[in-house]
Amino acid sequence: MLEPELVLTAYRRGIFPMAVDKRGRIGWFSPDPRAVIPLDERFHISHGLRRAWQRKKFAITFNTDFTGVIHECAQRKEGTWISPGINQCYCQLHRLGHAHSVETRLDGKLVGGLYGLALGGAFFGESMFHRVTDASKVALVALVERLRARGFVLLDTQWTTPHLQQFGTFEIPRHEYLWRLEHALNLECRFWGDSQSQ
């Protein structure tokens, strides 16, 4: 079983776990290059997505259904690295205040979202899902807005995908990533809590 403290130590060193087979065996990864989403003006929102965001078609919530989000992320048809052991560990990390979720709702129903881990001024995006068009994208926009408002400086996506590239995701060498990570970990940022918790 994965221990939360081991996982937190790994993230602080630029390493993260993933299940590598159907039996749930865990592998540890530190990609080179590493993909990050910019939190400055380079973060790109398409015109169509901007309209969806501005119309407020979706309701956005934070940390109201972490177990629901990670469960949905694990159901992807193309396979998943989210084994029962990963699920259990990250739910425990959520209870400890380190893992967080963004939920996208339509008529009160969970239709999209994402989850990840926050340490210092770094947020490590783990996975996202959608049941309705744009639902996961809107969750990502909400995440970036929250990270900006709370002083975060690093949004790590591990690897890049065509889905993430549309937002301006770019890759950096591991040594640069570790430098950025060290800087971010020295910041005192709170994803959840205080007067901005809702």
Side-chain angles (χ1 to χ4, degrees):
M1 175 180 162
L2 276 177
E3 293 296 334
E5 193 53 48
L6 173 63
V7 173
L8 293 175
T9 298
Y11 274 96
R12 292 185 183 105
R13 297 176 179 172
I15 303 167
F16 57 87
M18 297 176 67
V20 295
D21 59 28
K22 293 182 179 180
R23 292 185 295 172
R25 288 190 306 163
I26 299 298
W28 296 89
F29 298 87
S30 182
D32 188 10
R34 189 79 164 236
V36 296
I37 291 179
L39 293 175
D40 56 19
E41 68 280 353
R42 292 173 293 172
F43 180 70
H44 177 72
I45 307 175
S46 69
H47 294 300
L49 181 58
R50 189 176 300 278
R51 285 194 299 270
W53 175 255
Q54 292 170 342
R55 288 198 307 263
K56 299 190 182 302
K57 171 183 176 182
F58 299 101
I60 303 295
T61 55
F62 297 91
N63 284 342
T64 62
D65 192 1
F66 184 89
T67 56
V69 170
I70 195 171
H71 172 78
E72 290 289 345
C73 289
Q75 303 306 307
R76 296 185 303 181
K77 293 179 181 178
E78 66 270 23
T80 181
W81 54 269
I82 306 172
S83 65
I86 290 279
N87 189 319
Q88 182 178 1
C89 180
Y90 282 77
C91 285
Q92 190 171 355
L93 285 165
H94 172 66
R95 291 190 292 272
L96 293 170
H98 299 293
H100 306 279
S101 59
V102 182
E103 301 93 19
T104 311
R105 300 181 182 278
L106 188 60
D107 298 325
K109 182 179 180 181
L110 182 66
V111 294
L114 59 85
Y115 78 95
L117 198 72
L119 290 172
F123 190 93
F124 309 88
E126 290 300 319
S127 188
M128 57 175 56
F129 83 96
H130 70 277
R131 298 292 183 196
V132 174
T133 301
D134 288 337
S136 63
K137 297 176 184 178
V138 167
L140 180 58
V141 173
L143 172 67
V144 168
E145 284 203 349
R146 189 174 189 87
L147 296 179
R148 285 172 169 171
R150 291 181 167 232
F152 283 75
V153 296
L154 178 64
L155 175 49
D156 172 18
T157 66
Q158 302 166 354
W159 288 285
T160 190
T161 66
H163 179 73
L164 293 175
Q165 285 176 336
Q166 64 187 293
F167 293 98
T169 300
F170 62 97
E171 295 181 329
I172 56 177
R174 182 190 289 129
H175 68 85
E176 180 181 346
Y177 171 79
L178 293 175
W179 178 85
R180 292 186 183 213
L181 175 61
E182 182 180 9
H183 169 66
L185 292 175
N186 286 325
L187 300 178
E188 295 185 8
C189 303
R190 290 178 64 89
F191 185 87
W192 187 251
D194 298 329
S195 60
Q196 303 177 62
S197 61
Q198 301 302 321

